[in-house]
C-alpha cells in the first residue's frame, strides 16, 4: 500500500447516509490524533468523511468491495474504510469486517458490533482496520499485515466474533464474522440500534393525539370505571398485550414495512427474517414507549379530574391509589387501540425509517436522482 508524502496517510471514511455518516463524523474529530499516537514513527493522518449510498441496490460482498475499491481510486486516498448499517453475509455467516491490504480498503458492517457502546466499538474497529491497512504498528513487526489478527472489538474469549474464511478469488485477505445464537442476537440488537427506535415516537404525533383524546374521554366514562375495577390483573395484562400487538401490527401493515423475499434461497430467507425481526422489535420499542407515556398522562389526568364520591357511588369501590393505577393502566390499553386507528393519518416516512428495506429503497432513489 502506498503512503502519501511527508508521512501523511490520507484516510477516507466512506459512510452510508443517516446513522453511519453521523458515527463517522463524530469519530473523525479525534481519529487523526488517536491513530498518530498508536502508530508512532512520526506518522500523521488526515481523515475525510464521505457520505454516499454506496450499498444502494446490492448487498453482494464482491460488488460492494469493488465499489469501495473504485471509489478509493477516484478519491486518491491511501486508506478507505466503508461503514454501512446493513447486515452483510459471507458463506452463511454475518460479516463484521472485510480487509484488503493490497488495495487499502475495509468494509465494516455496523450492526455486527452490537447495540451497546456502538460509537466506541465503531471507533475501535476503524482504528484497528486503518492501522492494519497502513502497515505494521511498530518497527520490527513480522509477517504480512493480513496474517496479523486485529484487536479491539474483534477479539474476546467469550465474544461471538472470529476470523472467517476468505476465498482465493475474493479481493479481501482478512475477514471477521459472527455466528451462532449470540452472534444473531448481537446483529439483531445492532440493527435495532441503527434503526434508532426513539425516532418513531415523534413520528406518531397523530396517533398519539388520537390516543390522548381517547384516553381523556375514557377516564371520565363510568363504564370504563366499572370495567377497570372488575378486571383482574391477568385480564389487564391481556388487554395491554392485545392493544400493543394491534398497534404494532397495524403500523407494520399500514406502512408496508414487512419485507418479502424476492428469491427463495435459504440465505435470502434468513436475511428477510432478520429484517422483519428487527422491524418488529424497533416498532415494538417505539409503541411500548408511547404506551408508558400514556399510562403516566392518564394517571395525572385521573388524579386531577376524578371525583372520589362519584367514583365510589358508581363502582362501589373506594378511590385509592390502586384504583387510580388500575384505571390509568386500562385506559392506556383502550387509548392505544384508538391510537392505532389514528396512525392511519400519519405520513409513512417516519414509520418507514424503522425498516431496513425501506431505507434501501430510499438509497436506490437517491442514487437514481444523482445519476439524472
Amino acid at each position: 500500500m502506498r503512503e502519501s508524502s511527508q508521512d501523511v496517510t490520507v484516510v477516507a471514511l466512506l459512510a452510508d447516509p443517516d446513522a453511519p455518516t453521523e458515527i463517522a463524523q463524530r469519530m473523525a474529530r479525534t481519529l487523526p490524533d488517536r491513530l498518530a499516537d498508536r502508530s508512532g514513527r512520526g506518522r500523521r493522518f488526515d481523515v475525510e468523511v464521505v457520505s454516499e449510498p454506496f450499498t444502494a441496490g446490492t448487498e453482494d460482498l464482491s460488488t460492494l468491495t469493488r465499489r469501495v475499491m473504485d471509489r478509493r481510486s477516484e478519491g486518491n486516498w491511501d486508506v478507505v474504510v466503508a461503514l454501512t448499517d446493513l447486515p452483510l453475509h459471507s458463506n452463511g455467516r454475518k460479516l463484521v469486517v472485510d480487509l484488503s491490504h493490497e488495495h487499502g480498503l475495509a468494509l465494516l458492517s455496523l450492526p455486527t458490533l452490537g447495540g451497546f457502546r456502538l460509537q466506541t466499538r465503531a471507533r475501535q474497529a476503524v482504528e484497528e482496520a486503518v492501522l492494519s491497512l497502513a502497515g505494521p504498528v511498530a518497527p520490527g513487526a513480522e509477517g504480512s499485515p493480513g496474517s496479523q489478527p486485529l484487536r479491539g472489538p474483534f477479539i474476546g474469549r467469550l465474544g461471538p466474533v472470529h476470523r472467517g474464511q476468505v476465498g482465493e478469488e475474493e479481493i479481501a485477505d482478512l475477514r471477521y464474522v459472527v455466528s451462532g445464537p449470540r452472534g444473531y442476537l448481537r446483529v439483531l440488537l445492532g440493527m435495532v440500534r441503527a434503526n434508532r427506535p426513539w425516532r418513531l415516537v415523534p413520528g406518531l404525533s397523530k396517533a398519539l393525539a388520537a390516543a390522548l383524546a381517547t384516553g381523556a374521554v375514557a377516564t371520565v366514562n363510568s363504564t370504563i370505571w366499572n370495567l377497570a375495577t372488575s378486571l383482574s390483573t391477568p385480564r389487564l395484562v391481556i388487554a395491554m398485550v392485545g392493544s400493543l400487538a394491534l398497534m404494532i401490527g397495524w403500523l407494520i401493515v399500514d406502512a408496508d414495512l414487512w419485507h418479502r423475499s424476492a428469491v427463495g434461497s435459504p440465505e435470502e430467507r434468513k436475511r428477510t427474517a432478520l429484517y422483519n425481526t428487527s422491524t418488529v422489535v424497533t416498532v415494538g420499542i417505539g409503541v411500548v414507549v408511547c404506551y408508558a407515556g400514556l399510562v403516566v398522562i392518564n394517571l395525572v389526568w385521573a388524579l386531577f379530574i376524578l371525583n372520589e364520591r362519584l367514583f365510589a357511588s358508581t363502582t362501589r369501590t373506594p378511590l385509592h391509589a390502586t384504583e387510580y393505577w388500575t384505571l390509568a393502566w386500562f385506559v392506556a390499553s383502550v387509548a392505544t387501540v384508538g391510537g392505532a386507528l389514528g396512525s392511519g393519518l400519519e405520513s409513512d416516512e417516519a414509520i418507514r425509517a424503522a425498516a431496513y428495506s425501506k431505507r434501501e429503497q430510499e438509497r436506490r432513489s437517491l442514487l437514481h436522482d444523482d445519476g439524472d
Side-chain angles (χ1 to χ4, degrees):
M1 190 206 79
R2 68 182 176 81
E3 184 176 315
S4 297
S5 60
Q6 300 179 349
D7 292 328
V8 177
T9 301
V10 181
V11 179
L13 301 180
L14 180 63
D16 264 334
D18 207 11
T21 296
E22 295 177 8
I23 291 173
Q25 289 173 340
R26 283 195 292 268
M27 75 170 66
R29 301 168 189 166
T30 59
L31 194 58
D33 292 337
R34 294 183 63 90
L35 290 172
D37 291 340
R38 292 189 57 185
S39 177
R41 298 180 296 168
R43 177 181 291 183
R44 294 187 293 117
F45 291 83
D46 286 341
V47 177
E48 303 176 12
V49 177
V50 180
S51 178
E52 61 181 55
F54 70 93
T55 59
T58 185
E59 295 176 16
D60 179 66
L61 271 183
S62 60
T63 302
L64 292 178
T65 304
R66 291 190 180 279
R67 286 184 181 180
V68 176
M69 186 169 61
D70 294 341
R71 193 66 181 86
R72 174 181 176 268
S73 300
E74 295 172 5
N76 198 32
W77 303 306
D78 299 315
V79 173
V80 57
V81 180
L83 308 176
T84 179
D85 57 356
L86 291 178
L88 303 176
H89 298 74
S90 171
N91 300 320
R93 296 181 176 179
K94 296 161 188 67
L95 177 77
V96 180
V97 65
D98 258 1
L99 283 83
S100 173
H101 293 81
E102 178 183 357
H103 300 95
L105 64 87
L107 175 59
L108 178 65
S109 177
L110 294 175
T112 53
L113 299 179
F116 305 101
R117 299 175 61 243
L118 178 59
Q119 184 68 43
T120 299
R121 287 180 174 178
R123 176 183 52 76
Q124 292 173 345
V126 170
E127 286 181 13
E128 291 296 328
V130 171
L131 292 175
S132 177
L133 295 172
V137 177
E142 298 180 356
S144 63
S147 66
Q148 300 178 9
L150 302 182
R151 297 179 296 174
F154 303 108
I155 61 172
R157 290 179 298 174
L158 301 179
V161 181
H162 54 86
R163 292 183 68 160
Q165 184 178 2
V166 181
E168 295 181 359
E169 298 181 355
E170 295 188 75
I171 298 175
D173 52 38
L174 181 61
R175 171 173 295 158
Y176 281 83
V177 297
V178 295
S179 60
R182 292 186 62 196
Y184 182 91
L185 179 60
R186 178 170 174 153
V187 174
L188 178 60
L189 291 176
M191 292 176 68
V192 172
R193 169 65 175 79
N195 284 339
R196 297 183 290 185
W198 53 87
R199 297 195 309 180
L200 188 63
V201 177
L204 296 176
S205 57
K206 293 184 176 64
L208 285 173
L212 289 172
T214 303
V217 174
T219 302
V220 296
N221 187 285
S222 59
T223 303
I224 297 295
W225 297 351
N226 287 311
L227 283 173
T229 54
S230 63
L231 290 176
S232 61
T233 300
R235 290 191 173 187
L236 288 170
V237 171
I238 292 173
M240 177 185 67
V241 173
S243 63
L244 290 174
L246 177 63
M247 183 69 161
I248 294 170
W250 176 254
L251 287 173
I252 291 175
V253 172
D254 184 58
D256 193 23
L257 298 182
W258 198 254
H259 185 75
R260 294 172 180 82
S261 175
V263 295
S265 65
E267 185 84 8
E268 182 64 23
R269 285 198 295 269
K270 290 180 181 179
R271 186 175 304 170
T272 299
L274 190 61
Y275 281 148
N276 289 332
T277 303
S278 69
T279 297
V280 171
V281 174
T282 300
V283 176
I285 291 174
V287 171
V288 168
V289 170
C290 292
Y291 185 92
L294 286 174
V295 172
V296 173
I297 293 173
N298 290 333
L299 181 60
V300 173
W301 175 240
L303 289 169
F304 174 76
I305 201 68
L306 290 186
N307 181 275
E308 296 183 11
R309 283 188 179 181
L310 181 59
F311 185 91
S313 65
T314 303
T315 63
R316 299 181 181 179
T317 303
L319 186 58
H320 296 147
T322 302
E323 283 67 39
Y324 277 114
W325 164 252
T326 302
L327 180 62
W329 185 9
F330 181 62
V331 167
S333 299
V334 175
T336 299
V337 176
L341 299 176
S343 67
L345 303 174
E346 296 284 1
S347 168
D348 292 340
E349 182 179 353
I351 302 174
R352 287 178 178 174
Y356 275 93
S357 57
K358 296 303 175 184
R359 274 213 297 273
E360 171 65 5
Q361 291 179 15
E362 291 170 5
R363 286 172 181 162
R364 292 185 188 185
S365 176
L366 179 59
L367 195 64
H368 176 74
D369 293 341
D370 290 343
D372 293 344

